[in-house]
Amino acid sequence: MKLLLLSSVAAALVLAGCGSSSDSASEASAGEGWSYESGDGKTYTADSTPKRIIAQGEAAAALISFGIKPVAIYSNDPIETNKSLKDLDLSGIKILSETYGQIDAETAAGLKPDLIVSSYWPLEKAYGGFESGVDDSAKKVQKLADVVGPAEGDSVETKLEGYEELAISLGADPAGGTIAADKATFQTAVERFKATVASKEGLTSLAVSPSEDLLYVAVPSEASELSDFERWGLDIMDPDSPDPDFAYWENLSWENADKYQPDFLLMDDRDAANSQKIADGQPTWQNIKAVKAGAVVPWPAYWIHTYKDYAAQLDELSDSIESIDPNLT
Amino acid sequence: MTVTARTEAAVEQRPRYRSRATLATGFVILAGALAVVCFFSITMGARGVGLSTIWKAFTDYNASDASETVIRELRVPRTLIGIFAGAALGLSGAILQGVTRNPLADPGIMGINAGAATAIVFAIMVLGTQSVSMYVWFAFVGAGVATVTVYGLASFGREGATPVKLALAGAAVTAILSSITSAIVMTNVSALNELRFWQVGSLAGRYFPVFWQTLPFLVLGLVLALGTGRALNGLALGEDLALALGQRVRLTRILMFVTVAILCGASTAAVGPIVFVGLLVPHLARMICGPDYRWILSYSLLLTPIVLLVADIIGRLAVSPGELQVGVVLGVIGAPFFILLVRYRNLAEL
């Protein structure tokens, strides 16, 4: 299963040879064996470096930042509202999906991909976009090529290192583009974040995502960026009874919305306007002291996949945290 | 001996007419039962709230106490919506069964739910709205348009909107609207998720804004509905006899459909398509009080909220700390009950 069929590799190479202008740095490594240790713990190999890559939306953002341009991407949400994709130049890249769980399998097959890139979710033992419950179309795409990518959950930082390693294995120039500068900016932002959090003795937070029927409370250890924030000194409350079937969250009835009382809330920003509207319509939302105090801060939930984005988000968080009262609760 | 036996046989064959006093007493008992159910609806839920706190929520309300907020702002509107939407569902079911003389009539066969569903996915797709208080209006308009369309289609031809033509037009419009809904939902996952949540039917997540938005329509519909008893009694005798008795059949029918459209539109907008209760309760009411629609309507007015709220309370407790949507509970408990009812009594007595 891990080995690509020789014929498809040959076909892919022929196709890659005609009219592809995006691969410049990768020429050198073509023809040599390729291998990558992926998020699921397995090492994937191929006789030659994969050229035609289909990537999940956020994974594509990571690859592009390291200088690898996929031939196609599939996104969980509309490209124009996807926080990690909206500012990228996607010209020449085919869009196979803007809806979670569905991928245009026919177009995907026609592209003859030799690698699919997406983050690995240990909790579901699946790569993003191929979890159980997705449409048949997505399951078919999964069979077109090996799926690889670093694991989610532990840290965005190590995840980005995983993507960088993958990009280099695919022929990217580690010193190319603005990577060095972006990393430096990111390190500065991390130091500032650490200092800001350290200056707020006793500060507590809680990460939430409101919906019409429930208030979801995030389990920090299952969200890469929340794990990072904790490592950098931020106290994020652990919900005590996560959903056994989907342990990313504890599902709170709105009747129990005040169960946890942090100094400030991190609110899922993936569909921020709607989340805000839904939360505002819930009478018990105001019974969370942090809400009453106006201490609600956007949480860049699960989507950060580049050093540049991470630096910008960390700076915004530091700005917000500076004005928060650590002794609210 | 023989005389008595014959009389008993005759009584057995006739629909049971109970005395007015008995029926009135039953009505009062039902009102008491509804009050008890309301009490439980306010005291039971995902959050444990003591009676003294509940008392304080009504007498000395402090909005910053979460338990009091839950009582005042969550459970009270939820119960009120249950009462009014329940009554509307029951009365619309009773009227539809009477006016179409079809024992299986419910808002589903009039294309009402399909209309509301289409309007909701349209609202989500075009306007991107995801809040209940926004899309109640779309559900209402969708239900109204569907009802008018069905009635209009059925009215073609000399005899006007006969029960059979109404059922056919309802089926056709439902088919068209459902395919439009499917087409939208196939390409729009957020619409699909919202529709999934709405389509089961729930009293959760509906607060005072939704209640106040739908209340005027619910009250108007209920008042109109309670006035239709005599006319329904006439129609129950058959169209020709009703005409012979001097009833203006066509006008009566139009009025009843307007009433049903208002009731279904508002209740569907408020709680989603919880149709089953509208099918079940009028039969239950008929079983208790016999064929007089004035009593069937009155009993349905109280019985449906009782059934709806009891199902809702069961849903809150069954899978605690989560909740089961009331539509699911009604399906699971109501269906076997309905089968028993059918076995016990011949329903085609309309």
Side-chain angles (χ1 to χ4, degrees), chain A residues 172-211:
Chain A
D173 174 9
T178 58
I179 298 171
D182 290 343
K183 276 185 187 168
T185 321
F186 164 72
Q187 284 306 336
T188 315
V190 171
E191 293 313 317
R192 185 184 159 205
F193 181 85
K194 283 182 183 169
T196 311
V197 173
S199 72
K200 300 273 174 175
E201 184 74 37
L203 182 73
T204 56
S205 62
L206 184 75
V208 298
S209 187
S211 81

Side-chain angles (χ1 to χ4, degrees), chain B residues 5-323:
Chain B
R6 258 175 49 203
T7 319
E8 267 171 17
V11 169
E12 272 303 308
Q13 274 167 14
R14 257 184 15 211
R16 268 178 286 177
Y17 285 94
R18 298 189 199 273
S19 77
R20 287 186 115 190
T22 317
L23 287 171
T25 314
F27 189 78
V28 172
I29 292 172
L30 275 184
L34 181 58
V36 171
V37 170
C38 287
F39 172 78
F40 284 119
S41 174
I42 284 170
T43 53
M44 294 173 139
R47 186 192 186 97
V49 183
L51 284 177
S52 58
T53 313
I54 294 174
W55 180 250
K56 198 173 159 292
F58 288 107
T59 53
D60 181 21
Y61 179 47
N62 170 14
S64 61
D65 183 311
S67 292
E68 293 183 35
T69 310
V70 166
I71 298 302
R72 281 279 290 247
E73 301 292 330
L74 267 59
R75 295 200 195 151
V76 167
R78 182 176 188 158
T79 307
L80 286 172
I81 289 170
I83 294 171
F84 281 88
L89 286 165
L91 291 192
S92 61
I95 295 177
L96 270 178
Q97 287 169 15
V99 73
T100 62
R101 301 186 67 200
N102 176 349
L104 292 177
D106 67 34
I109 70 159
M110 288 300 297
I112 290 169
N113 295 322
T118 307
I120 283 179
V121 294
F122 180 78
I124 294 164
M125 185 190 66
V126 176
L127 304 173
T129 176
Q130 285 192 0
S131 85
V132 174
S133 59
M134 268 296 287
Y135 63 57
V136 289
W137 294 114
F138 287 91
F140 193 78
V141 171
V145 170
T147 316
V148 170
T149 311
V150 168
Y151 194 86
L153 284 174
S155 303
F156 284 123
R158 201 167 45 83
E159 329 82 331
T162 61
V164 173
K165 281 160 73 185
L166 278 169
L168 288 173
V173 168
T174 302
I176 295 167
L177 290 172
S178 307
S179 59
I180 294 173
T181 306
S182 304
I184 297 175
V185 162
M186 294 291 237
T187 56
N188 188 321
V189 161
S190 68
L192 173 64
N193 289 336
E194 282 297 300
L195 187 71
R196 266 190 204 143
F197 174 66
W198 175 83
Q199 208 155 35
V200 185
S202 175
L203 295 181
R206 272 77 168 172
Y207 309 122
F208 274 118
V210 173
F211 177 67
W212 295 126
Q213 274 174 336
T214 48
L215 185 68
F217 300 98
L218 290 168
V219 169
L220 174 69
L222 290 174
V223 169
L224 286 174
L226 287 173
T228 60
R230 186 178 291 272
L232 282 172
N233 283 342
L235 282 179
L237 299 171
E239 198 169 325
D240 295 338
L241 203 48
L243 274 170
L245 286 171
Q247 208 176 78
R248 286 143 80 183
V249 173
R250 188 169 292 200
L251 183 70
T252 311
R253 256 203 211 118
I254 290 177
L255 259 176
M256 286 181 185
F257 273 102
V258 170
T259 308
V260 166
I262 295 171
L263 287 173
C264 288
S267 63
T268 309
V271 300
I274 310 180
V275 288
F276 194 64
V277 75
L279 175 66
L280 175 86
V281 173
H283 285 296
L284 200 60
R286 189 175 292 107
M287 200 177 94
I288 299 170
C289 39
D292 186 339
Y293 269 98
R294 287 169 297 184
W295 283 110
I296 292 176
L297 291 172
S298 309
Y299 269 57
S300 298
L301 181 75
L302 296 180
L303 261 175
T304 332
I306 292 175
V307 172
L308 192 64
L309 285 174
V310 166
D312 187 43
I313 295 168
I314 292 172
R316 291 185 222 172
L317 302 180
V319 293
S320 176
E323 283 191 12

Side-chain angles (χ1 to χ4, degrees), chain A residues 99 212 255-256 258 282-283 287, chain B residues 47 66 69 75 130 189 207:
Chain A
T99 303
E212 208 71 73
E255 291 204 353
N256 294 316
D258 67 329
Q282 300 294 336
N287 290 106
Chain B
R47 186 192 186 97
T69 310
R75 295 200 195 151
Q130 285 192 0
V189 161
Y207 309 122

